[in-house]
C-alpha cells in the first residue's frame, strides 16, 4: 500500500489510525507538503484531482481518496477489528458522528479555505483564527450533546472503537492546533482521552510524524 500523507493532515491522521488499528503498515509513504502547496502540483493532481490528502493506492490501484471512504475500504478488506457496529441504527449513529467531523467541520478549516480567506477575502491572521475556532466550537458543541446519549460508552459508541472515535481524535488534534479550549466539552474530552491512551491513536498523531515540529 502506498499512502500519500503529510504530518499535519488531519484527514490522513484518520487513515493512519485505522491502519494502525488493523495492523497495517504502508509499504510506501509519499510526503505531499501542504505548506509548500505540493497538493496542487501536477504529479499529485493526477492522484487526487481534489488536490487533498490523503490518498491510498492498494496494489495496482486505482488511488482511493476521501478519508472516510478509505477507512471503510480498509474495514471491508481487513474486517478485524471492525470499525462499525453491526446494527443499522448503530452504524448510522457512528457514521453521523464521523461525518459531523469529516464533512461538516474539518472542510471549513483546511488550507485551501484558510488561503482563500487570506488571499481573496483579505482576512488577517486573527480573523482567520476566529473563523477556524468558531467552526471547531460548533462541531464540538454538537459532538458534546451527541456524546451525552446513553449509546456512548467508554468510546463514542459503546465500548468498542469505531470510525466515530477516529474522527473524534482528529477533531481533538485540530482543536489543539487552533488553541480551542476543550474545558466546555467534558464528554468529548473523556472519549478523546480514552482514544489517545491507545497506542494505535497515539503513534498516528500528527506531531509524531516525520517532519513535524517538536510541539
Ligand atoms: N474530506 C476530505 C478532506 C481532505 C482534505 O481537505 N485534506 C486536507 C488536509 S487534512 C488537504 O489536503 N487540504 C489541501 C488544501 O486544502 O489545499 C477527507 O476526509 O479526506
Amino acid at each position: 500500500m502506498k499512502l500519500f500523507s503529510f504530518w499535519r493532515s488531519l484527514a490522513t491522521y484518520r487513515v493512519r489510525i485505522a491502519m494502525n488499528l488493523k495492523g497495517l503498515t504502508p509499504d510506501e509513504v509519499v510526503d505531499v507538503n501542504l505548506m509548500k502547496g505540493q497538493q496542487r502540483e501536477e504529479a499529485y493532481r493526477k492522484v487526487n484531482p481534489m488536490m487533498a490528502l490523503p490518498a491510498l493506492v492498494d496494489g495496482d490501484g486505482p488511488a482511493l481518496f476521501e478519508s472516510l471512504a478509505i477507512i471503510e475500504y480498509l474495514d471491508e478488506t481487513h474486517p478485524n477489528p471492525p470499525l462499525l457496529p453491526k446494527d443499522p441504527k448503530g452504524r448510522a449513529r457512528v457514521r453521523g458522528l464521523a461525518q459531523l467531523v469529516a464533512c461538516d467541520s474539518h472542510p471549513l478549516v483546511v488550507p485551501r479555505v484558510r488561503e482563500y480567506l487570506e488571499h481573496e477575502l483579505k482576512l488577517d491572521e486573527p480573523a482567520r483564527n476566529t473563523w477556524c475556532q468558531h467552526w471547531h466550537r460548533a462541531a464540538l458543541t454538537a459532538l458534546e450533546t451527541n456524546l451525552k446519549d446513553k449509546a456512548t460508552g467508554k468510546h463514542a459508541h459503546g465500548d468498542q472503537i469505531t470510525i466515530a472515535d477516529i474522527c473524534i481524535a482528529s477533531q481533538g488534534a485540530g482543536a489543539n492546533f487552533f488553541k480551542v479550549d476543550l474545558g466546555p466539552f467534558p464528554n468529548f474530552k473523556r472519549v478523546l482521552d480514552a482514544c489517545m491512551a491507545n497506542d494505535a491513536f497515539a503513534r498516528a498523531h500528527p506531531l509524531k510524524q516525520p517532519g513535524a515540529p517538536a510541539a
Side-chain angles (χ1 to χ4, degrees):
M1 286 189 192
K2 187 199 282 197
L3 178 66
F4 292 80
S5 167
F6 185 57
W7 68 265
R8 198 191 150 106
S9 161
L10 296 173
T12 312
Y13 177 31
R14 296 195 277 270
V15 169
R16 273 198 304 270
I17 297 168
M19 293 187 83
N20 287 347
L21 286 167
K22 291 181 179 291
L24 300 169
T25 308
D27 303 289
E28 189 184 349
V29 177
V30 181
D31 197 58
V32 179
N33 190 318
L34 296 181
M35 284 155 160
K36 293 184 180 160
Q38 287 177 345
Q39 72 274 29
R40 291 186 281 269
E41 291 177 3
E42 180 67 15
Y44 187 67
R45 248 193 326 206
K46 282 190 186 144
V47 177
N48 182 4
M50 187 58 195
M51 299 179 276
L53 291 170
L56 182 79
V57 177
D58 187 8
D60 55 5
L64 306 177
F65 48 89
E66 290 289 332
S67 61
L68 294 183
I70 295 172
I71 292 169
E72 289 216 20
Y73 167 80
L74 294 172
D75 204 35
E76 286 168 14
T77 52
H78 300 81
N80 287 313
L83 296 176
L84 283 167
K86 289 205 165 25
D87 62 302
K89 285 183 180 162
R91 292 165 90 83
R93 179 171 183 263
V94 164
R95 287 188 172 118
L97 292 170
Q99 289 174 22
L100 199 159
V101 172
C103 306
D104 293 345
S105 165
H106 181 206
L108 293 163
V109 302
V110 291
R112 60 189 175 278
V113 169
R114 300 203 312 272
E115 287 166 22
Y116 189 86
L117 294 175
E118 179 179 2
H119 300 301
E120 302 299 324
L121 302 185
K122 310 293 179 201
L123 295 186
D124 62 13
E125 196 177 351
R128 298 197 303 275
N129 283 339
T130 300
W131 166 282
C132 292
Q133 289 172 343
H134 171 81
W135 294 116
H136 266 289
R137 285 196 197 97
L140 287 165
T141 301
L143 286 168
E144 179 65 18
T145 304
N146 277 306
L147 291 173
K148 286 179 185 156
D149 192 279
K150 62 180 184 336
T152 306
K154 175 183 174 195
H155 285 291
H157 192 78
D159 295 333
Q160 306 304 316
I161 291 169
T162 64
I163 296 173
D165 297 286
I166 293 177
C167 289
I168 281 172
S170 75
Q171 186 78 33
N176 188 33
F177 285 162
F178 289 102
K179 299 190 171 26
V180 175
D181 176 20
L182 293 183
F185 312 108
N187 286 289
F188 175 89
K189 180 75 167 54
R190 182 182 59 72
V191 173
L192 175 64
D193 288 347
C195 291
M196 297 318 296
N198 183 313
D199 182 62
F201 285 74
R203 67 193 154 85
H205 192 277
L207 295 177
K208 296 274 175 56
Q209 305 314 306

